[in-house]
Amino acid sequence: MKAIFAALICLGATHASAQVADRALDQTPAAPEATATPMPEDYRSPSELKKLPIEQLIDVEITSAARRPELLSRASSAIDVITADDIRRAGVTNLPDAFRLATEMQVAQIDGHTWAITTRGFNISTANKLQVLLDGRTLYSPLFSGVFWDVQQVFLPDLEQIEIIRGPGATLWGANAVNGVINIRTKSAFETQGVMIYGGGGNEERAFGGIRYGGTIGANTSFRVYAMHQSRDDLTLSGGGDASDDYHITQGGFRIDSKVHPDDTATLQGDFYGGNFGLINSADGEVEGENILGRWTHDFGHDSSLALQAYFDRTHRFIPNVFEETRETYDLELQHRFRLAQHDIVYGANYRVSHDDIGNIGPVVAFLPNADTQHLVSGYLQDEWHIVPDLFSITAGSKVEYNTFSGFEIQPTARFTWTPAKEQTLWGAVSRAVRTPTRIDQDVVVPNPSTGIPAVLSGTSGFDSEVLVAYELGYRVKPIDRLSFDLALFYNDYDSLRSQETQPDGSILLKNLGEATSYGGSLAAKWRVADWWELDGSVSLLQLDFHGDGSSNDHTGGIGEANDPNASFIVHSAIDLPRNVQFDSYLRFVDELPNPSTPSYLELDLRLSWSPLQNLELAIVGRNLLHESHPEFAGGSAPTREIPRSVYGTVRWNF
């Protein structure tokens, strides 16, 4: 929708992506023995990594697909796992660049602090079909069903892993888990003892770093506190000149984990941040916020647990003479999982209330009313029936939700998993998921009515949910001990998509008259060539056809809803050299984007590290080395930024 995103370039400093929904009740790792002193696990030397069995390097335990621990190889979903070591070896300094390591992830940097991020299509600056969670806290904004990526910071050495579901996850994760789910999990305080210092800088990543201290309170309680800062230089404009979009943010936080009883674990954690970012021909934009989350988990046994979680999240964003929003969100969730005969059952309930106060401070856009409260109430039930244990199982379940914008929504799924041999898994699924309406869909007015100019674009109070019915099929196989493949195919049928309907007076109303189909798939492989050399990579293909239904007069062809590459790939080589030296290379390709037209690109990232001491690592990282600069997402009516070649050094030290 060119019109809306030209008009909403006011949110251009705020573009983002993601979703609404329910979040995971994160599985808190068990506490160490009370008599033992927890050892730092932030860093493994190259020699230690070589000793890990091949099974551990190829298969990992996940919790996102079924809301319970299971091996990735047996999951009935297309899933990628980005581990803490993957992120360390890539040398990335933020979450969006970490997502580039995964299969089928579409990540495009728009400016110095803004990314378009999704999976399986419909990527735009305000992408809205991806659910994202951080330690059980949803990052969704009801403003546009997406994520403000510039304020999603993590102390990366304390990250446990990122689990990415490609495809619908709405039965367990709720509305907006349409094209996928990203579940970001940090380590428990038990695993982050001692002091960790990291930092670095270079020509573009001017300065970044942080410090964390972890300690104990008594025999069964551990804590950590941290502080971090990041400063990035301006990007460049196509045709020359800097983009005046430098970025600076400071964040701090804490986490406490306590084994209050052998069967009970309590977690309390929180973060606060503040920062600013540059804007062309304007004073800096400003962001700040804080959150606090508490979780209690009771274990009844190996296959049964009860968890209660609550959190509060406040955010504030200010763009001079354009946009201002303060949002407060309260969330409460209960989840119970248990094993009954050959059934793994999980069910839960959630209530969320989010209140916003939007300052209609500029002439370009307004949200009417300027303050609103959104409620979300949901319940879900899913049963995984192991008809023939370790051979064949089926999964069925549904989530029922009520939201302020569109009322009741039902999101069911049916899945199967067949493991004809230990090293083979065939799975399939049929799912329904919805993207709920937002303040943009129902309440936006362009320009601001206070200007006295008639509206050229407006939301519609009756805007309904967008609907997806998805069909998936996947196959995983490990033909030999050191080689594995993961194939995932999908066909998506979308209905009631957002469309731009021209009215008799020439103005545009946002309605639900769009339809689309998409299909594609991915093939990923991992090969341990030798004990000291590992290769992995993936190729992804996507075809998307957007059209209006019979009553639509939208002739844009969905330009404002999707700007996706037809193909992409990434190849990673990880080499462990003598004397604790590691060398990693990443070759990645992204096909051209149709509109706004953005050329395809092939890029190379390199990282060389050395560990002179067991807990000390020095590294040099080069990113986007094949071009002086290149665009990843053209600006359309806004100036196009280009991502320059960058080189920076890093250091990690824990004790």
Side-chain angles (χ1 to χ4, degrees):
M1 299 168 16
K2 255 182 176 176
I4 186 172
F5 295 114
L8 293 181
I9 204 68
C10 57
L11 299 179
T14 72
H15 325 279
S17 61
Q19 66 309 294
V20 71
D22 302 285
R23 312 103 300 97
L25 295 171
D26 182 49
Q27 299 295 321
T28 304
E33 294 295 328
T35 57
T37 301
M39 298 299 293
E41 296 186 11
D42 304 286
Y43 171 73
R44 285 193 176 110
S45 69
S47 60
E48 290 175 307
L49 286 170
K50 293 177 186 178
K51 298 174 185 177
L52 293 176
I54 186 65
E55 292 80 5
Q56 186 173 342
L57 290 168
I58 287 180
D59 208 356
V60 294
E61 188 176 84
I62 60 172
T63 62
S64 300
R67 285 208 178 202
R68 64 174 180 83
E70 63 177 338
L71 292 179
L72 183 152
S73 62
R74 300 302 177 92
S76 57
S77 302
I79 298 181
D80 256 8
V81 175
I82 304 171
T83 67
D85 196 62
D86 293 333
I87 292 174
R88 180 187 65 83
R89 295 195 68 138
V92 299
T93 62
N94 56 66
L95 288 173
D97 282 338
F99 299 153
R100 297 180 193 269
L101 305 177
T103 305
E104 286 191 286
M105 284 300 297
Q106 296 162 237
V107 179
Q109 187 169 359
I110 298 174
D111 60 32
H113 46 85
T114 305
W115 288 262
I117 300 177
T118 194
T119 183
R120 294 188 172 177
F122 289 93
N123 202 24
I124 52 175
S125 59
T126 51
N128 55 24
K129 295 176 178 60
L130 189 65
Q131 170 68 289
V132 185
L133 308 105
L134 173 56
D135 281 338
R137 178 173 55 89
T138 185
L139 306 184
Y140 151 81
S141 170
L143 180 73
F144 66 106
S145 283
V147 172
F148 289 113
W149 288 108
D150 54 356
V151 296
Q152 309 309 328
Q153 304 291 323
V154 174
F155 190 87
L156 289 177
D158 287 349
L159 191 147
E160 182 175 0
Q161 63 188 34
I162 302 172
E163 301 175 10
I164 300 177
I165 300 175
R166 293 124 50 205
T171 295
L172 294 179
W173 302 106
N176 295 22
V178 177
N179 283 5
V181 177
I182 298 178
N183 188 14
I184 305 162
R185 298 165 52 198
T186 63
K187 298 174 183 177
S188 78
F190 294 118
E191 298 176 280
T192 53
Q193 296 294 286
V195 177
M196 159 63 75
I197 300 173
Y198 83 96
N203 65 321
E204 294 297 328
E205 295 282 353
R206 287 301 192 186
F208 58 90
I211 182 170
R212 180 260 293 148
Y213 173 72
T216 60
I217 305 172
N220 299 312
T221 301
S222 293
F223 72 91
R224 68 168 177 257
V225 294
Y226 77 92
M228 56 185 287
H229 177 79
Q230 187 169 34
S231 291
R232 287 197 294 268
D233 201 3
D234 308 304
L235 299 184
T236 59
L237 294 175
S238 294
D242 69 67
S244 301
D245 55 3
D246 57 312
Y247 171 74
H248 313 273
I249 192 166
T250 300
Q251 180 168 308
F254 72 95
R255 175 163 174 164
I256 303 171
D257 289 290
S258 180
K259 199 72 173 176
V260 295
H261 182 272
D263 297 324
D264 294 277
T265 304
T267 297
L268 182 67
Q269 63 187 93
D271 309 277
F272 61 90
Y273 63 85
N276 62 278
F277 47 84
L279 300 167
I280 292 180
N281 301 322
S282 174
D284 286 357
E286 299 174 3
V287 292
E288 54 99 5
E290 57 276 335
N291 63 80
I292 188 166
L293 177 148
R295 180 172 50 250
W296 166 77
T297 303
H298 177 77
D299 291 321
F300 297 101
H302 179 68
D303 296 315
S304 179
S305 67
L306 179 68
L308 179 65
Q309 175 181 282
Y311 70 80
F312 166 75
D313 189 359
R314 176 188 170 276
T315 63
H316 178 254
R317 179 172 296 265
F318 173 69
I319 303 174
N321 200 38
V322 176
F323 174 79
E324 183 174 19
E325 181 200 37
T326 299
R327 179 173 296 277
E328 295 183 347
T329 301
Y330 301 84
D331 188 278
L332 177 66
E333 181 166 3
L334 177 70
Q335 177 187 300
H336 183 208
R337 68 176 182 90
F338 62 96
R339 183 76 177 251
L340 180 63
Q342 295 177 183
H343 298 262
D344 278 309
I345 299 173
V346 58
Y347 67 91
N350 169 248
Y351 174 66
R352 181 181 309 140
V353 58
S354 185
H355 177 77
D356 64 50
D357 189 352
I358 299 176
N360 295 322
I361 59 176
V364 178
V365 63
F367 290 84
L368 302 176
N370 68 321
D372 190 38
T373 300
Q374 301 92 39
H375 299 269
L376 178 70
V377 183
S378 68
Y380 61 90
L381 171 66
Q382 180 167 290
D383 178 13
E384 184 175 354
W385 181 17
H386 305 279
I387 298 175
V388 182
D390 299 321
L391 179 63
F392 186 78
S393 64
I394 60 173
T395 300
S398 184
K399 178 179 279 279
V400 178
E401 287 186 334
Y402 172 83
N403 71 84
T404 301
F405 291 113
S406 62
F408 284 98
E409 305 288 356
I410 299 176
Q411 302 177 86
T413 190
R415 300 175 178 270
F416 77 87
T417 307
W418 178 38
T419 52
K422 180 181 178 182
E423 309 300 345
Q424 297 183 59
T425 301
L426 179 69
W427 63 271
V430 179
S431 309
R432 182 182 190 271
V434 303
R435 196 276 289 181
T436 55
T438 67
R439 292 275 263 149
I440 282 182
D441 300 315
Q442 295 194 353
D443 301 331
V444 71
V445 180
V446 177
N448 192 328
S450 65
T451 62
I453 301 174
V456 298
L457 183 145
S458 303
T460 305
S461 59
F463 195 97
D464 207 350
S465 291
E466 299 180 341
V467 179
L468 165 66
V469 177
Y471 307 86
E472 300 177 271
L473 187 66
Y475 178 62
R476 301 185 185 95
V477 62
K478 189 164 70 172
I480 58 176
D481 205 31
R482 290 174 172 258
L483 179 65
S484 67
F485 294 96
D486 189 338
L487 174 69
L489 306 173
F490 69 91
Y491 178 85
N492 287 347
D493 187 3
Y494 298 88
D495 195 9
S496 300
L497 294 176
R498 183 166 56 193
S499 63
Q500 300 180 69
E501 305 299 327
T502 303
Q503 304 305 296
D505 62 0
S507 65
I508 293 174
L509 285 184
L510 301 181
K511 292 189 176 182
N512 291 100
L513 302 182
E515 298 178 348
T517 57
S518 68
Y519 59 91
S522 62
L523 178 63
K526 187 182 292 284
W527 181 24
R528 174 54 67 89
V529 183
D531 288 344
W532 50 272
W533 184 20
E534 182 178 341
L535 290 172
D536 62 85
S538 64
V539 59
S540 305
L541 302 176
L542 169 68
Q543 290 290 327
L544 190 149
D545 174 34
F546 186 102
H547 53 274
D549 69 11
S551 62
S552 173
N553 65 12
D554 184 352
H555 303 296
T556 67
I559 286 174
E561 296 298 317
N563 196 23
D564 307 306
N566 293 132
S568 63
F569 71 74
I570 183 169
V571 179
H572 170 217
S573 169
I575 299 176
D576 294 334
L577 298 169
R579 301 186 182 277
N580 290 332
V581 174
Q582 292 183 328
F583 179 65
D584 289 82
S585 58
Y586 301 82
L587 185 68
R588 49 191 174 89
F589 169 79
V590 177
D591 205 355
E592 63 182 344
L593 307 183
N595 204 314
S597 179
T598 309
S600 63
Y601 67 87
L602 179 71
E603 274 299 358
L604 176 67
D605 301 336
L606 299 177
R607 179 180 181 269
L608 181 68
S609 70
W610 174 47
S611 298
L613 303 172
Q614 181 178 2
N615 295 326
L616 175 65
E617 180 186 67
L618 308 174
I620 185 168
V621 180
R623 295 183 59 82
N624 302 302
L625 296 177
L626 299 185
H627 300 87
E628 182 177 352
S629 64
H630 72 275
E632 293 188 350
F633 202 99
S637 60
T640 295
R641 274 78 162 177
E642 295 192 353
I643 316 304
R645 179 185 296 126
S646 65
V647 178
Y648 50 90
T650 70
V651 59
R652 280 194 184 200
W653 184 30
N654 69 281
F655 54 92

